[in-house]
Amino acid sequence: MLIIKEIDQADRLLLRNICWLTWLAIAESLQLTILVIVVSQFILIKTPTFIQHLFPANLNDVRPERGILFYQIFVAVALLIAAVLIGIRYQRLRIDQISPSLKSFVLVVTSGLVSQLFAAFKWITSPALAWPKILFYFALVATIGCQIFLPELKAALSKAVQLWKASSFVQKQVIKLGMEIVFLLGLGFALFGLDMNKVLARDFAVDQFYHFDGFIMSSTWAWLQGCVPNVDVISQYSLLLPVIIGSIAKWMGGLSYLHVDEILMAMTGIYLLLAYTFMRSWLKNRLIAVFGILLFVKWNFFHWGVTPIIWMLPGVIPVRYIFDVAVLWLIFKDLKTPALLYRGSAALLCGLAMAYMVDTGLYLTAAFGAYVGLNIFLYWSSKDRLRRLIEAAVLLILAIGIWWIVWYSLVGPWIFIKTFWSNVTEHIALFLNGWGALPIYDGLKERNFFAFVMGLVIPIVYVATAMVTASMVFLKKAHQKWLLTTVMALYGLLIYHYFIIRSAVSSYYVVCLPFVFILCFWINEFIPTLKGKLRLRIQVALVGWAVVALFSNQLFVYYPNIFNLAGYDWKPEIQFYRQEFQFQKDAALIQKFSKPGEAAPLISSFETQILIDANRKPFFYYFPLITSRFMSAQLIGGTYVHTRARMIKTLNQLETAKPAYVFVEKRLFNHTLPERFYQYFQTVSLLMDYLHNQYTSYEEGQYLVALKRR
């Protein structure tokens, strides 16, 4: 460093020029080496004669390869090119700067090499994938072609820039809108252009619809059959969502896993479109909005916590907190043009959010309350302080009132009964008491260092952002619109309880949208501090990085969309799903010994689908009762009866109603599974012991047996 400080300006120019020429020499040498490696793949290596003298056990130790040759070619060519370039330009290196055209040439070669090396990395580490090979050869040909025709390409680009500058404002907006539509359609096809047979087959093969049933499917079927949620049948996540899903599915022709998946995808698509449009309107920057939505999709849809496909886990898709973007947008509108209409609409949506999903609804309402409170504090010295306090109270009453009105329309007078509220809070209480909880250092234990660091960084960013933005607004050093970012940070801190309670390696991705918003906000604030051309380059680079990060993600590659980048053969999985997920004979057995509209006591894997096929309502409050596993497998997954209180309630239902027939999975009742399962899952043993005492086998179906009361 001391030597560099002491050299004069001419020497500094010399050093910069030598660095540029050396960079070019290394890049061209590496490109030539790659080309030689590609050509050599078509030339067989001559087998060494000495292997004839080896014993068979030692043959695997002989692996002829050309690594030394490639290494020597790279070193020799790099040194030769560097020497030639520096020798030719030696007299001018202290006087003239490297021309912009040569710098452009170096950057083009480097960009092509990066693409080739990235594709080669994916090709070597994931040889089953088809796209890295295609990308590699495309990048190789494109890089060589760009080097040959660079002047022509620059001329064409210059002409395109001139045409763009000569275009009218309307023409530019039409072109931008067209590009935006193409982007949104492409992203839509990538995420939702799915073969639904593949989606259902993958969910069945990996999860047996366990999370799907628990989150939405079972409670929706119960509601369609006239059951009161959290009175007749548990609805552990939401009261309103099953009503929405059930109503739409009924309009689509009936409840099925296919229809529910399609509804959830449509809701998610609307949410993503709303999030993108909001970012574009708020930040007034299309490229940052594109970057933000791509980053959110990458983090939320394709992280290892949702392996192998996110639709298997509906509890982690944006449907869980679907109202938040709309409320944030109304706050943004209110900050631009204060109006009671915006605040009242936001309070109404908060009420719907609480009725829809209690936890996320409460977090959103608290964030909106923080916005109202900050506004009151900001204008505390004004004369209309009392009016603002009264308005805040009315908005709070409106939100709570909407929540209760919606729930009253669903459960009626039960909303005033303690039992209903005990049922509503039962699932929440389990988590608050440690059910499924993980320590915050779980990622560290699993050696997932990036996830662990991100899990700690996100709340720090939230706190810092809230403090900085609020302080700048109250000190009148920033526009009041910055309060929106404060509210986002507070909402992020509230919804981050999901990660704090269950600090799985992937949980922060589930609730990452506020973090993405805040990240885009700070980037958007930083961009104007840069020079003109650099602004655009950085934004384009961010979008390019997000596209590459998404499309090269392993889960995206195997995602069952129209691209099928992995070239995966889905036929065996689909065939297995169609063979195993058939319960018509058992549905007929239930129909034979139960009347339409009558609750059917069913204890089996895939209770929800069997009751849908039989068109019968569930009998047990804890529905489904059994954790599903393949009917052909010699194992069980336990029950949803996690506590002794749940077991007592389930047995009391049987003892009080004394149903004439109970339908049970044969492998459970006949005790054909290995003894270790019955010892481990005591809930199954208790249920089977009760049934053996009170019922006798009467008639069998394919997987079920109908038990008749003694």
Side-chain angles (χ1 to χ4, degrees):
M1 182 63 69
L2 183 61
I3 295 174
I4 293 177
K5 285 183 178 179
E6 291 178 352
I7 62 178
D8 59 22
Q9 189 64 31
D11 288 335
R12 287 178 182 275
L13 180 60
L14 173 66
L15 180 61
R16 283 198 297 270
N17 289 341
I18 289 175
C19 288
W20 273 103
L21 295 177
T22 303
W23 182 357
L24 175 59
I26 292 173
E28 288 291 6
S29 177
L30 185 57
Q31 181 64 84
L32 179 62
T33 305
I34 291 174
L35 190 59
V36 171
I37 292 172
V38 170
V39 173
S40 69
Q41 301 304 306
F42 302 97
I43 303 173
L44 295 177
I45 299 177
K46 185 178 179 181
T47 305
T49 56
F50 84 96
I51 68 168
Q52 300 173 5
H53 306 289
L54 293 177
F55 290 103
N58 301 114
L59 289 176
N60 290 332
D61 295 328
V62 180
R63 292 180 290 272
E65 50 97 29
R66 300 186 177 102
I68 294 177
L69 173 63
F70 301 147
Y71 170 73
Q72 292 171 343
I73 289 174
F74 167 72
V75 173
V77 173
L79 293 175
L80 178 62
I81 294 177
V84 170
L85 289 174
I86 294 174
I88 292 174
R89 293 174 170 266
Y90 177 72
Q91 298 296 330
R92 309 296 301 174
L93 288 179
R94 291 175 178 270
I95 304 172
D96 299 332
Q97 291 188 358
I98 295 296
S99 65
S101 60
L102 184 58
K103 291 180 180 179
S104 299
F105 184 84
V106 174
L107 293 175
V108 166
V109 176
T110 303
S111 300
L113 283 173
V114 169
S115 300
Q116 294 169 52
L117 293 174
F118 172 75
F121 167 76
K122 286 291 184 178
W123 188 357
I124 294 169
T125 56
S126 303
L129 302 181
W131 68 268
K133 184 176 180 180
I134 297 172
L135 176 61
F136 174 80
Y137 283 112
F138 174 80
L140 176 62
V141 173
T143 304
I144 296 174
C146 286
Q147 292 181 61
I148 297 172
F149 300 105
L150 184 60
E152 290 80 4
L153 291 173
K154 290 182 68 175
L157 181 61
S158 177
K159 186 176 181 181
V161 170
Q162 293 299 322
L163 288 173
W164 172 258
K165 290 180 178 179
S167 302
S168 66
F169 174 79
V170 174
Q171 289 174 325
K172 289 179 180 178
Q173 293 304 311
V174 169
I175 293 172
K176 289 179 179 179
L177 181 61
M179 295 173 65
E180 200 170 23
I181 292 173
V182 169
F183 162 72
L184 292 174
L185 288 175
L187 185 62
F189 278 118
L191 296 180
F192 307 112
L194 303 175
D195 184 331
M196 295 307 296
N197 286 322
K198 297 176 183 177
V199 175
L200 295 172
R202 177 55 56 89
D203 193 347
F204 176 75
V206 177
D207 199 51
Q208 291 88 67
F209 298 116
Y210 167 72
H211 289 91
F212 213 91
D213 285 342
F215 182 77
I216 186 61
M217 197 71 182
S218 300
S219 54
T220 301
W221 176 248
W223 179 79
L224 285 172
Q225 289 295 304
C227 297
V228 179
N230 283 329
V231 175
D232 298 324
V233 171
I234 188 173
S235 184
Q236 57 188 8
Y237 287 97
S238 171
L239 269 70
L240 184 57
L241 182 59
V243 176
I244 296 172
I245 297 293
S247 301
I248 299 174
K250 190 176 180 180
W251 171 77
M252 294 174 68
L255 186 69
S256 67
Y257 288 93
L258 172 62
H259 288 161
V260 174
D261 252 329
E262 291 174 340
I263 295 167
L264 292 176
M265 289 178 187
M267 294 172 70
T268 303
I270 293 170
Y271 180 88
L272 292 177
L273 181 61
L274 190 65
Y276 169 76
T277 310
F278 165 68
M279 275 193 288
R280 197 190 69 172
S281 176
W282 167 44
L283 301 174
K284 300 188 184 307
N285 189 322
R286 281 188 173 93
L287 286 175
I288 297 300
V290 169
F291 165 73
I293 204 67
L294 287 173
L295 185 62
F296 174 67
V297 167
K298 196 268 182 188
W299 276 351
N300 186 259
F301 280 66
F302 302 102
H303 61 87
W304 289 110
V306 296
T307 306
I309 185 171
I310 191 172
W311 306 111
M312 182 181 76
L313 306 167
V316 304
I317 61 177
V319 166
R320 189 182 184 111
Y321 38 85
I322 199 166
F323 291 96
D324 58 2
V325 173
V327 171
L328 292 173
W329 204 333
L330 287 167
I331 292 174
F332 170 63
K333 298 285 286 185
D334 188 62
L335 285 169
K336 286 180 62 179
T337 310
L340 183 59
L341 175 63
Y342 296 138
R343 297 188 293 277
S345 299
L348 188 148
L349 287 179
C350 286
L352 287 174
M354 289 187 287
Y356 175 84
M357 199 84 67
V358 176
D359 58 344
T360 55
L362 286 173
Y363 298 147
L364 184 60
T365 304
F368 174 67
Y371 166 69
V372 175
L374 287 169
N375 257 321
I376 294 173
F377 187 67
L378 186 63
Y379 297 101
W380 186 253
S381 59
S382 63
K383 295 180 180 180
D384 64 345
R385 179 173 58 193
L386 180 61
R387 181 192 64 80
R388 290 177 180 275
L389 289 170
I390 294 173
E391 180 187 298
V394 171
L395 292 174
L396 177 62
I397 292 171
L398 174 63
I400 296 175
I402 293 295
W403 173 17
W404 277 58
I405 288 171
V406 172
W407 275 20
Y408 184 83
S409 69
L410 298 177
V411 303
W414 280 100
I415 198 173
F416 303 110
I417 297 174
K418 181 181 178 181
T419 303
F420 169 75
W421 288 100
S422 296
N423 292 340
V424 168
T425 57
E426 179 191 12
H427 190 64
I428 299 173
L430 280 176
F431 277 93
L432 292 178
N433 283 286
W435 175 265
L438 290 171
I440 198 166
Y441 53 83
D442 185 69
L444 197 60
K445 289 171 60 179
E446 299 294 329
R447 304 187 67 80
N448 291 299
F449 301 118
F450 177 79
F452 171 73
V453 172
M454 281 294 293
L456 297 180
V457 165
I458 288 176
I460 293 174
V461 171
Y462 285 153
V463 171
T465 298
M467 295 301 296
V468 170
T469 53
S471 298
M472 293 293 284
V473 171
F474 281 103
L475 294 173
K476 302 187 185 306
K477 298 297 182 181
H479 195 280
Q480 192 177 343
K481 292 178 184 178
W482 274 37
L483 277 183
L484 176 61
T485 313
T486 308
V487 174
M488 288 177 177
L490 294 175
Y491 174 60
L493 287 169
L494 289 164
I495 203 171
Y496 208 63
H497 280 86
Y498 181 90
F499 172 79
I500 300 300
I501 292 174
R502 182 172 174 77
S503 301
V505 66
S506 57
S507 292
Y508 66 87
Y509 286 122
V510 176
V511 289
C512 68
L513 186 62
F515 182 73
V516 171
F517 281 164
I518 289 171
L519 184 63
C520 290
F521 167 79
W522 288 120
I523 292 174
N524 199 55
E525 291 295 318
F526 170 73
I527 290 293
T529 65
L530 303 174
K531 295 180 180 179
K533 290 184 177 181
L534 188 58
R535 297 177 188 177
L536 180 61
R537 289 172 182 172
I538 288 180
Q539 293 176 75
V540 171
L542 286 172
V543 172
W545 172 83
V547 170
V548 172
L550 175 61
F551 276 78
S552 63
N553 180 278
Q554 192 78 354
L555 294 180
F556 181 82
V557 167
Y558 281 93
Y559 191 63
N561 56 21
I562 56 176
F563 302 112
N564 192 23
L565 295 176
Y568 182 74
D569 183 11
W570 292 84
K571 291 180 182 178
E573 211 163 295
I574 294 173
Q575 185 178 5
F576 176 72
Y577 161 64
R578 289 175 175 172
Q579 289 175 349
E580 287 276 329
F581 204 60
Q582 297 291 330
F583 309 110
Q584 284 77 14
K585 292 182 180 179
D586 294 309
L589 181 70
I590 294 174
Q591 290 173 335
K592 182 177 180 180
F593 295 105
S594 63
K595 299 176 182 178
E598 185 179 34
L602 175 61
I603 304 174
S604 170
S605 293
F606 307 107
E607 293 168 19
T608 305
Q609 183 60 46
I610 293 173
L611 289 181
I612 290 174
D613 289 342
N615 195 26
R616 295 293 186 268
K617 68 166 61 176
F619 173 85
F620 295 105
Y621 175 79
Y622 297 107
F623 168 64
L625 199 64
I626 298 293
T627 302
S628 296
R629 291 295 181 265
F630 302 126
M631 292 294 199
S632 58
Q634 287 298 300
L635 75 161
I636 54 176
T639 70
Y640 284 80
V641 185
H642 306 312
T643 64
R644 298 181 189 279
R646 287 191 172 195
M647 175 55 70
I648 292 171
K649 186 171 185 174
T650 301
L651 293 176
N652 282 342
Q653 280 189 273
L654 287 168
E655 190 60 27
T656 302
K658 293 182 171 57
Y661 295 94
V662 175
F663 308 94
V664 186
E665 200 174 330
K666 285 189 286 186
R667 61 181 174 181
L668 300 181
F669 187 75
N670 295 336
H671 214 86
T672 59
L673 296 172
E675 184 62 30
R676 67 178 185 276
F677 288 112
Y678 298 96
Q679 293 174 354
Y680 184 76
F681 297 111
Q682 295 180 17
T683 52
V684 175
S685 296
L686 289 171
L687 284 170
M688 294 305 108
D689 289 345
Y690 175 87
L691 294 176
H692 277 287
N693 290 332
Q694 301 295 331
Y695 290 83
T696 183
S697 179
Y698 189 72
E699 186 172 325
E700 293 188 354
Q702 183 178 2
Y703 300 115
L704 302 182
V705 55
L707 307 181
K708 187 174 183 180
R709 195 167 184 89
R710 296 181 188 276

